[in-house]
Amino acid sequence: MSETLPSIGEFLTATVPMVRTLRLEYRETTAERAVLALPDDPDYHNHVAGPHAGAMFTLAESASGAVVAAAFGDQLGRAVPLPVRAEIGWTKLARGPLTATAVLGRPAADVVAELDAGTRPEFPVEVSVQRADGAETSHMTIVWTLRPNS
């Protein structure tokens, strides 16, 4: 009898309380990109009736984490992925449900090659957050590392 492994979205929903708190939805997760959605909920609204900046940051960071998990899940026995730094810019008023699309900024094979060479690689993930009409409301660049297990 074969055992069914949870998807990355199911795993992260089960293990990251903030994902459950915001009810983030994993729509796509591959080793190159991840797409997550944040529902429109008045409990998450700010003073202009849109999603709070913290909820938008969490959506974008969670999308970046999903693509990192998909790209480097096979490395978890020897390294732990960690965010190093992030920069976010808000470009348009966000209202309604939002979608975040995260894209790995370097080929995973190049990052693993650096890990194989004994270094602690860093790599960017670019995330675009959009409204339902397709307008980008914010953009985040988050730099991750694979910290070798000692």
Side-chain angles (χ1 to χ4, degrees):
M1 190 184 322
S2 68
E3 183 179 322
T4 302
L5 297 174
S7 70
I8 288 172
E10 291 168 335
F11 172 75
L12 293 173
T13 299
T15 59
V16 180
M18 186 57 95
V19 168
R20 291 190 307 278
T21 297
L22 291 177
R23 297 188 333 268
L24 299 182
E25 177 186 328
Y26 290 79
R27 294 191 174 166
E28 176 186 337
T29 305
T30 70
E32 292 82 30
R33 96 185 203 140
V35 180
L36 274 68
L38 173 70
D40 185 25
D41 186 323
D43 287 343
Y44 310 152
H45 286 182
N46 58 19
H47 63 289
V48 293
H52 188 279
M56 292 174 65
F57 184 97
T58 301
L59 171 65
E61 192 277 337
S62 296
S64 77
V67 74
V68 168
F72 303 107
D74 61 340
Q75 302 300 315
L76 294 180
R78 67 183 186 138
V80 62
L82 296 169
V84 176
R85 62 188 167 276
E87 182 176 326
I88 190 166
W90 287 272
T91 54
K92 290 192 187 289
L93 185 61
R95 290 242 173 95
L98 299 178
T99 302
T101 302
V103 178
L104 199 60
R106 288 181 53 203
D110 292 354
V111 175
V112 172
E114 287 183 29
L115 187 63
D116 290 342
T119 66
R120 182 175 169 168
E122 290 189 358
F123 52 94
V125 177
E126 300 294 332
V127 186
S128 175
V129 178
Q130 297 180 326
R131 301 184 302 218
D133 67 2
E136 183 178 75
T137 63
S138 62
H139 188 92
M140 174 189 266
T141 301
I142 183 164
V143 175
W144 286 77
T145 188
L146 294 180
R147 185 191 75 200
N149 297 335
S150 299

